[in-house]
């Protein structure tokens, strides 16, 4: 073909048609390549190489095959060579690719150097150029563009093709692809700008994925974008692969193979690879599914048939027709629902002919615990947990369902002319179910998710790959667990030009059917990197509070599935576990079971459960030998805690008491515990003062009972808390009658620490004195109640809140007085 001949354009049109016959579902890419080849033909080559193409697109969509086909169809190129750039990932690999070394055996040349000397007019493909070390990239750039022909290496007749999967946020974005068709130059500039921002981690060094100088060369030349392959293309690939393998099989084994309705057969076999249908898997594995049936038959029957027929039953045909009514969205639906197509083979032998009939075809949901390509990371997962599997959190689940409705019906946001939300932050205390709620969200939304946590949150390359894979399976979710961990908070990406997570969030598509939704979890919203939760990124916030009564009841009912005596009061136990996290609640059942096993008991009792709850919340009981005079210590503790409990019941009636105990533990000799959910959000001056009275009531009760001996170290924490609360009320909350509405702590921090110091000291003494006077009156007034509670404590060690209430409402007398 002479370049001066105007008919060259017609020749290229023939090549265009041929390429579209053999490279599936890439018509736009083929048009771009052929148009560029025509321009290249009429443009003089000023510097080597003859031309540079950059093929961008997802893996395994025909980039390499198109390059191979060009070498075959273009007369000006004699051969094709592919270099996997992952083989040159170290700086020393420069010599392996390009070097010339003198050794005892002679001059040893690099692989590319040796090849180009033999084949100067070749199509040379550098696959996944970003995987090569940056020194290799620079050396390659220098070699292919050099004009001095050092060492007789000349690239002026070579067609260079680089492939890359970088920039995935754009070439999978439908809006971008539409823009690419309308304004290719602008879209190419946007694409290469995105590629220029891609980074990679080499040991502890962050570097550009592609060296800027090499990227500049790629940007100046031809850029071709490949799209994802559709279902029809997968079927074509399967059909061609089956045809090729069958021909080889028949030549080798001498068995005739016949496919009745091969198109339908390949379709249903292709669908059996769902939910993750991949061209390479189809090409390699689909023929095996059929040809394996023959070898299996021969092995089982020890006879070789002359002919094998494959066919579909009427049921399978009907099933396939029904499934293909929505062929455009079929693979996406199968993936989102984690479904595949299963069938059975029925075998019949007629003389020397064997017939395999594909029958009983049906859709099957894969086990949700099954991961797609378990060995791959990041992994695509499907949640087995839904909202119905999570107890309580009604308000939170209602909010999450509303967000899911938006994701499922994009018209809801279109009406208000806003973009689809990109992400959501679930924040709240440890152990309240944030991770479970996030996974339940994925199941309810019918979306696959990629889970990122721990050290992976610090790996910019892993973050990029997670989002890249999520885009392959869009719509999907990226789940970032505990983004407020140390390091993320301090700015782990401080040495990078930009935050890779923020970059990925910015690059996400707003297209309603191609979105990647990000769910992040954290303990504290304030400790999350502001760049992550900026507007237009993760800007939907849902607070997950401590477990409510329904959620706690769920955990106890799970425990009751274990052997128990049938006498456990669920409501009572639920009161005892207020304020406990999900992790702690899971421990209760295990610890109670282990206790029963160690004590050789047949079942769990309420007493065992409550003891394990107290062990987890307050520490294990101390042995009696730790106390010099156990009986005297217990009596003092009993009156001390009874004083707290009775006065609390009188002064703080809205805060329910769970239990009063005198069992000495690692963290305390005794305590009064309250139902956590009853604590008010805002606290009045009266409530603070009354709480100080309650704290002082323990020592006051001891003094009334034991005289001066009642003054001991057991009240140390009470006095500390009482004094601190008085100080806060006076200096920070504006609750003191004499100092008024002054925030003294501000003055202390910013002006003078000595201001009002003597006044504050006097007012603290006044508050404590007034609280002491009030507490003494109440202790005297309700002394019979305090005695009754203390006597019951000495009998049982633990007095339940309901038992305390009975005493307070009764005559205040214990049935069995303490000796």
């Amino acid at each position: 073909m002479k370049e001066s001949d105007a008919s060259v354009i017609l020749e290229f049109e023939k090549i265009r048609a041929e390429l579209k016959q053999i490279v599936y579902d890439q018509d736009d890419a083929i048009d771009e390549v052929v148009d560029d080849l025509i321009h290249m033909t009429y443009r003089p080559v000023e510097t080597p190489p003859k031309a540079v193409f950059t093929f961008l697109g997802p893996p395994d969509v025909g980039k390499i095959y198109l390059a191979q086909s060009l070498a075959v169809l273009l007369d000006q190129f004699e051969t094709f060579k592919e270099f996997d750039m992952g083989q040159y990932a170290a700086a020393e690999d420069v010599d392996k690719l390009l070097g010339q070394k003198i050794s005892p055996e002679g001059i040893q040349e690099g692989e590319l150097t040796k090849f180009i000397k033999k084949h100067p007019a070749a199509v040379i493909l550098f696959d996944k150029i970003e995987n090569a070390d940056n020194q290799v990239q620079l050396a390659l750039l220098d070699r292919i563009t050099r004009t001095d022909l050092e060492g007789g290496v000349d690239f002026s007749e070579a067609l260079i093709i680089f492939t890359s999967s970088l920039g995935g946020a754009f070439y999978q974005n439908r809006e971008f692809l539409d823009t690419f068709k309308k304004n290719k130059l602008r879209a190419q500039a946007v694409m290469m700008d995105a590629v220029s921002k891609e980074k990679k981690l080499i040991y502890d060094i962050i570097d550009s994925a592609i060296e800027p100088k090499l990227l500049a060369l790629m940007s100046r030349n031809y850029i071709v974008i490949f799209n994802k392959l559709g279902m029809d293309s997968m079927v074509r690939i399967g059909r061609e692969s089956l045809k090729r393998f069958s021909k080889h099989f028949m030549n080798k084994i001498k068995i005739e193979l016949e496919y009745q309705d091969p198109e339908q057969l390949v379709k249903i076999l292709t669908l059996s690879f769902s939910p993750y249908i991949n061209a390479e898997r189809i090409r390699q594995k689909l023929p095996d599914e059929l040809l394996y049936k023959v070898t299996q038959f021969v092995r089982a029957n020890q006879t070789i048939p002359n002919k094998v027929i494959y066919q579909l039953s009427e049921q399978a045909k009907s099933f396939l027709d029904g499934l293909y009514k929505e062929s455009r969205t079929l693979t996406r639906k199968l993936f989102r629902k984690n479904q595949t197509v299963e069938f059975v083979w029925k075998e019949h032998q007629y003389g020397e002919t064997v017939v395999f009939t594909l029958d009983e075809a049906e859709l099957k949901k894969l086990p949700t615990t099954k991961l797609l390509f378990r060995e791959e990371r990041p992994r695509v997962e499907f949640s087995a947990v839904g909202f119905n599997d999570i107890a309580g959190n009604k308000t939170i689940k209602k909010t999450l369902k509303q967000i899911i409705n938006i994701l499922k019906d994009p018209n809801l946001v279109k009406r208000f002319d806003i973009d689809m939300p990109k992400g959501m932050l679930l924040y709240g205390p440890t152990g309240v179910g944030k991770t479970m709620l996030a996974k339940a969200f994925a199941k309810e939304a019918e979306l696959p998710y990629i889970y990122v946590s721990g050290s992976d949150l610090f790996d910019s390359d892993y973050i990029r790959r997670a989002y890249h894979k999520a885009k392959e399976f869009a719509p999907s979710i990226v789940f970032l667990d505990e983004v407020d961990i140390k390091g993320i908070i301090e700015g782990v990406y401080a040495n990078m030009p930009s935050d890779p997570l923020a970059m990925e969030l910015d690059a996400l598509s707003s297209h309603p059917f191609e979105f990647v939704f990000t769910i992040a979890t954290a303990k504290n919203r304030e400790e999350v990197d502001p760049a992550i939760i900026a507007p237009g990124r993760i800007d939907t916030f849902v607070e997950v509070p401590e477990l409510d009564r329904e959620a706690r009841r769920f955990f106890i009912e799970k425990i009751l599935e274990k052997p128990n005596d049938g006498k456990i009061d669920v409501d009572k136990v639920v009161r005892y576990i207020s304020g406990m996290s999900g992790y702690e609640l899971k421990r209760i059942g295990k610890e109670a079971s282990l206790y029963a096993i160690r004590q050789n008991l047949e079942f769990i009792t309420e007493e065992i459960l409550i003891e394990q709850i107290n062990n987890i919340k307050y520490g294990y009981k101390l042995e009696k030998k730790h106390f010099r005079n156990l009986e005297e210590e217990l009596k003092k503790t009993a009156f001390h805690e009874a004083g707290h409990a009775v006065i609390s019941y009188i002064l703080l009636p809205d805060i329910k008491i769970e239990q009063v105990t005198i069992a000495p533990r690692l963290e305390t000799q005794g305590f009064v515990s309250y139902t956590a959910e009853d604590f008010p959000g805002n606290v009045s001056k009266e409530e603070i003062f009354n709480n100080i009275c309650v704290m002082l009531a323990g020592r006051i009760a001891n003094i009334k009972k034991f005289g001066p001996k009642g003054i001991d170290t057991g009240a140390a924490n009470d006095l500390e808390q009482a004094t601190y609360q008085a100080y806060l009320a006076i200096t920070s909350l504006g609750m003191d009658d004499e100092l008024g509405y002054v925030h003294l702590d501000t003055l202390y921090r910013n002006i003078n620490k000595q201001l009002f110091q003597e006044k504050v000291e006097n007012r603290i003494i006044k508050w404590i004195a007034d609280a002491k006077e009030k507490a003494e009156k109440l202790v005297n007034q309700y002394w019979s109640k305090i005695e009754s509670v203390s006597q019951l404590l000495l009998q049982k060690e633990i007095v339940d809140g309901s038992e305390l209430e009975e005493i307070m409402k009764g005559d205040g007398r214990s049935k069995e007085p303490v000796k």
Side-chain angles (χ1 to χ4, degrees):
M1 183 171 61
K2 296 179 180 179
E3 292 188 358
S4 59
D5 191 346
S7 64
V8 68
I9 296 177
L10 295 178
E11 293 297 323
F12 272 113
E13 289 307 313
K14 291 180 182 178
I15 292 172
R16 189 193 307 269
E18 287 188 61
L19 287 172
K20 289 183 178 180
Q21 287 295 316
I22 59 177
V23 180
Y24 304 145
D25 207 13
Q26 299 294 353
D27 288 2
D28 290 340
I30 291 168
D31 285 337
E32 181 70 23
V33 168
V34 174
D35 290 346
D36 291 341
L37 287 170
I38 293 172
H39 298 159
M40 180 192 78
T41 301
Y42 290 102
R43 191 181 72 178
V45 177
E46 296 176 356
T47 58
K50 190 176 185 68
V52 175
F53 281 81
T54 301
F55 288 179
L56 297 173
D60 201 30
V61 293
K63 299 191 292 288
I64 297 175
Y65 188 50
L66 176 55
Q68 292 172 329
S69 301
L70 291 175
V72 173
L73 296 175
L74 296 173
D75 295 339
Q76 55 194 299
F77 301 109
E78 58 185 89
T79 189
F80 170 82
K81 178 67 174 178
E82 173 190 349
F83 290 91
D84 176 5
M85 299 310 289
Q87 301 297 315
Y88 308 94
E92 52 268 26
D93 290 329
V94 169
D95 289 336
K96 179 181 173 183
L97 182 67
L98 302 167
Q100 289 185 326
K101 286 186 176 180
I102 300 176
S103 68
E105 293 78 19
I107 296 177
Q108 292 185 339
E109 296 178 324
E111 295 167 359
L112 176 60
T113 304
K114 189 185 300 182
F115 174 80
I116 198 68
K117 282 186 175 182
K118 291 183 179 178
H119 310 284
V123 176
I124 305 175
L125 180 135
F126 299 99
D127 190 34
K128 299 184 181 68
I129 182 62
E130 66 270 21
N131 290 346
D133 181 84
N134 287 35
Q135 293 302 314
V136 174
Q137 294 179 18
L138 285 172
L140 177 61
L141 170 66
D142 177 69
R143 183 58 57 90
I144 65 176
T145 58
R146 185 175 292 180
T147 57
D148 58 7
L149 306 184
E150 180 184 341
V153 179
D154 183 6
F155 284 87
S156 59
E157 295 301 314
L159 176 64
I160 302 298
I161 299 176
F162 297 107
T163 76
S164 174
S165 297
L166 297 177
F170 289 92
Y171 62 68
Q172 295 184 84
N173 183 317
R174 190 174 298 177
E175 295 169 358
F176 173 78
L177 294 177
D178 290 342
T179 302
F180 188 85
K181 292 178 182 179
K182 296 174 184 175
N183 189 333
K184 291 182 179 179
L185 290 178
R186 180 181 175 187
Q188 287 173 350
V190 171
M191 170 67 77
M192 297 310 288
D193 180 63
V195 171
S196 71
K197 294 177 180 176
E198 297 273 8
K199 306 295 175 185
K200 60 186 176 185
L201 185 65
I202 305 171
Y203 301 109
D204 57 347
I205 300 173
I206 305 297
D207 208 343
S208 300
I210 299 177
E211 267 296 323
K213 290 183 179 180
L214 177 58
L215 197 63
L217 173 73
M218 296 160 70
S219 300
R220 290 195 303 269
N221 287 275
Y222 305 115
I223 300 166
V224 182
I225 296 177
F226 289 68
N227 54 261
K228 294 170 70 174
L229 297 180
M231 184 64 186
D232 290 342
S233 297
M234 295 294 185
V235 172
R236 287 178 65 185
I237 290 170
R239 189 175 61 239
E240 292 299 319
S241 180
L242 179 61
K243 182 179 179 180
R244 185 172 63 256
F245 273 77
S246 297
K247 182 178 179 181
H248 178 77
F249 186 88
M250 287 188 286
N251 288 337
K252 288 287 186 181
I253 309 299
K254 307 302 181 185
I255 298 176
E256 182 185 354
L257 301 177
E258 179 182 326
Y259 302 100
Q260 297 182 359
D261 202 351
E263 182 76 12
Q264 296 290 85
L265 181 63
V266 172
K267 278 184 180 180
I268 203 165
L269 289 171
T270 300
L271 288 171
S272 71
F273 286 86
S274 61
Y276 186 40
I277 300 176
N278 171 277
E280 189 59 32
R281 291 179 70 216
I282 297 295
R283 188 178 291 113
Q284 296 294 329
K285 300 295 184 180
L286 188 145
D288 292 346
E289 171 71 26
L290 296 175
L291 303 180
Y292 177 69
K293 302 302 298 180
V294 179
T295 57
Q296 193 178 38
F297 173 84
V298 172
R299 185 169 63 250
N301 296 278
Q302 295 298 303
T303 181
I304 299 177
N306 289 333
K307 184 176 183 179
V308 174
I309 299 173
Y310 297 92
Q311 63 181 18
L312 269 65
S313 69
E314 292 302 317
Q315 182 275 338
K317 292 177 182 178
S318 176
F319 166 81
L320 191 60
D321 290 341
L323 209 56
Y324 253 78
K325 286 180 181 178
E326 300 181 46
S327 60
R328 285 189 61 195
T329 59
L330 177 58
T331 54
R332 175 171 286 171
K333 285 186 175 181
L334 291 175
F335 181 81
R336 288 180 62 182
K337 294 184 177 182
N338 195 28
Q339 290 179 320
T340 190
V341 172
E342 292 187 356
F343 46 77
V344 297
W345 286 105
K346 295 185 176 178
E347 174 188 307
H348 297 91
Q349 185 173 5
Y350 305 97
E352 294 186 344
T353 299
V354 177
V355 178
F356 294 109
T357 303
L358 190 154
D359 197 12
E360 299 179 24
E362 61 180 336
L363 278 177
K364 276 287 185 72
K365 189 173 183 66
L366 291 174
T368 48
T369 54
K370 180 178 181 181
L371 305 180
L372 293 178
F373 300 96
R374 182 174 292 272
E375 71 279 0
E376 292 186 3
R377 294 183 75 250
R379 293 191 291 260
V380 179
E381 303 183 46
F382 295 91
S383 176
V385 178
F387 288 148
N388 290 336
D389 302 309
I390 300 175
N393 291 305
K394 287 184 179 179
T395 303
I396 304 302
K397 288 190 281 192
K398 181 180 179 181
T399 301
L400 297 182
K401 286 177 181 177
Q402 291 168 346
I403 297 171
I404 289 170
N405 288 339
I406 295 173
L407 300 183
K408 287 187 172 181
D409 185 4
N411 292 322
L412 293 172
V413 295
K414 281 187 177 179
R415 277 179 52 210
F416 292 90
D417 192 29
I418 60 175
D419 291 332
M420 289 282 286
K422 287 185 176 181
M424 167 181 69
L425 176 70
L426 294 174
Y427 65 97
T430 300
V432 294
K434 299 186 295 293
T435 300
M436 290 282 282
L437 285 167
K439 291 182 178 181
F441 183 98
K443 181 178 180 181
E444 300 292 337
E446 297 183 315
L447 295 175
Y449 69 92
I450 294 173
Y451 181 74
V452 184
S453 67
S455 61
D456 290 333
L457 289 167
F458 298 89
D459 187 341
S460 61
D461 181 61
Y462 191 86
I463 292 289
R464 182 188 67 78
R465 287 189 287 118
Y467 275 93
H468 179 78
K469 179 161 281 189
K471 288 160 195 165
E472 288 184 38
F473 298 102
S476 61
I477 291 171
V478 172
F479 178 12
L480 308 171
D481 205 8
E482 297 186 357
V483 294
D484 56 343
I485 58 176
K486 186 175 176 63
I488 298 292
I489 301 169
E490 296 174 351
V492 70
Y493 304 124
N495 297 323
M496 301 182 187
S498 57
D499 185 332
L501 179 54
M503 282 179 57
E504 291 296 341
L505 291 168
D506 289 341
L508 292 177
S509 170
S510 61
H511 194 281
F513 301 109
E514 294 182 346
F515 64 84
V516 172
F517 190 74
T518 300
I519 300 177
T521 67
K523 294 187 191 111
N524 300 298
R525 173 178 167 178
E526 292 74 20
E527 293 186 358
V528 177
D529 182 356
I532 298 174
I533 55 176
R537 292 173 182 166
I538 299 175
D539 53 8
T540 300
F541 306 105
V542 180
E543 183 176 6
V544 183
E546 289 186 342
L547 298 176
D548 56 25
R549 183 177 290 270
E550 183 183 346
R552 301 200 307 272
R553 188 182 186 92
F554 170 81
F555 279 96
I556 299 304
E557 288 175 344
K558 281 288 185 184
I559 293 172
L560 294 186
E561 293 176 4
K562 305 177 187 296
N564 66 85
D565 64 357
K567 299 177 182 179
I568 296 174
D569 184 340
V570 175
D571 291 326
K572 177 180 176 180
V573 177
V574 167
R575 289 200 309 271
Y576 276 69
I577 60 176
S578 64
M580 297 183 76
S581 71
Y583 304 125
E584 291 171 325
L585 294 178
K586 286 180 181 177
R587 278 186 60 197
I588 294 170
K590 181 178 179 182
E591 295 292 339
S593 300
L594 289 173
Y595 179 87
I597 293 169
R598 288 196 300 266
Q599 302 299 321
N600 199 26
L601 302 175
E602 294 183 4
F603 42 70
I604 296 169
T605 65
E606 183 180 288
E607 183 182 358
I608 293 172
L609 269 185
I610 291 175
E611 180 60 27
Q612 300 314 311
I613 291 168
N614 286 333
N615 286 344
I616 293 169
K617 291 180 79 169
Y618 309 111
Y620 288 90
K621 279 185 179 180
L622 294 177
E623 295 181 18
K624 294 180 179 180
K625 64 183 181 182
H626 287 125
F627 300 92
R628 288 176 297 177
N629 190 335
L630 179 64
E631 186 176 349
E632 183 179 344
E633 291 289 341
L634 288 178
K635 282 184 180 181
K636 283 185 177 182
T637 304
F639 276 89
H640 183 103
E641 300 305 335
H644 284 316
V646 170
I647 305 309
S648 178
Y649 184 91
I650 299 301
L651 293 180
L652 303 172
D654 293 330
I655 304 177
K656 303 301 181 186
I657 293 175
E658 289 176 348
Q659 62 174 318
V660 188
T661 179
I662 60 169
R665 296 180 181 276
L666 288 173
E667 298 179 14
T668 178
Q669 287 191 11
F671 58 86
V672 178
S673 66
Y674 298 87
T675 305
E677 59 200 17
D678 290 334
F679 281 95
N682 288 316
V683 183
S684 68
K685 174 183 176 181
E686 181 184 15
E687 287 171 322
I688 290 178
F689 182 75
N690 285 342
N691 195 40
I692 295 172
C693 295
V694 171
M695 292 177 188
L696 300 180
R699 169 167 280 189
I700 290 169
N702 266 9
I703 292 173
K704 181 174 176 62
K705 177 66 178 176
F706 301 104
K709 288 186 177 180
I711 302 175
D712 58 20
T713 58
N717 186 61
D718 297 334
L719 298 178
E720 178 185 343
Q721 290 299 315
T723 305
Y724 182 64
Q725 288 198 20
Y727 175 83
L728 281 181
I730 295 165
T731 62
S732 300
L733 303 176
M735 291 180 173
D736 186 64
D737 293 337
E738 293 192 13
L739 285 169
Y741 304 158
V742 179
H743 194 276
L744 294 178
D745 270 356
T746 300
L747 300 177
Y748 294 159
R749 287 195 303 269
N750 300 300
I751 299 177
N752 189 335
K753 292 183 179 180
Q754 305 303 317
L755 286 172
F756 299 101
Q757 185 173 7
E758 185 176 350
K759 187 72 172 177
V760 169
E761 291 172 359
N762 291 333
R763 295 309 298 165
I764 291 174
I765 293 171
K766 173 65 174 170
W767 272 63
I768 296 298
D770 289 347
K772 176 176 176 285
E773 182 181 351
K774 182 175 181 178
E776 285 175 340
K777 289 179 181 178
L778 290 171
V779 167
N780 290 327
Q781 183 179 348
Y782 291 95
W783 183 247
S784 63
K785 307 291 186 182
I786 292 173
E787 284 190 314
S788 295
V789 174
S790 63
Q791 290 169 5
L792 195 58
L793 281 169
L794 289 167
Q795 293 167 19
K796 299 177 58 178
E797 279 195 346
I798 296 177
V799 172
D800 182 67
S802 60
E803 294 175 305
L804 172 67
E805 189 168 14
E806 287 179 13
I807 292 174
M808 296 303 296
K809 290 180 177 179
D811 62 7
R813 298 294 176 185
S814 172
K815 293 179 181 179
E816 298 180 28
V818 178
K819 295 178 181 179

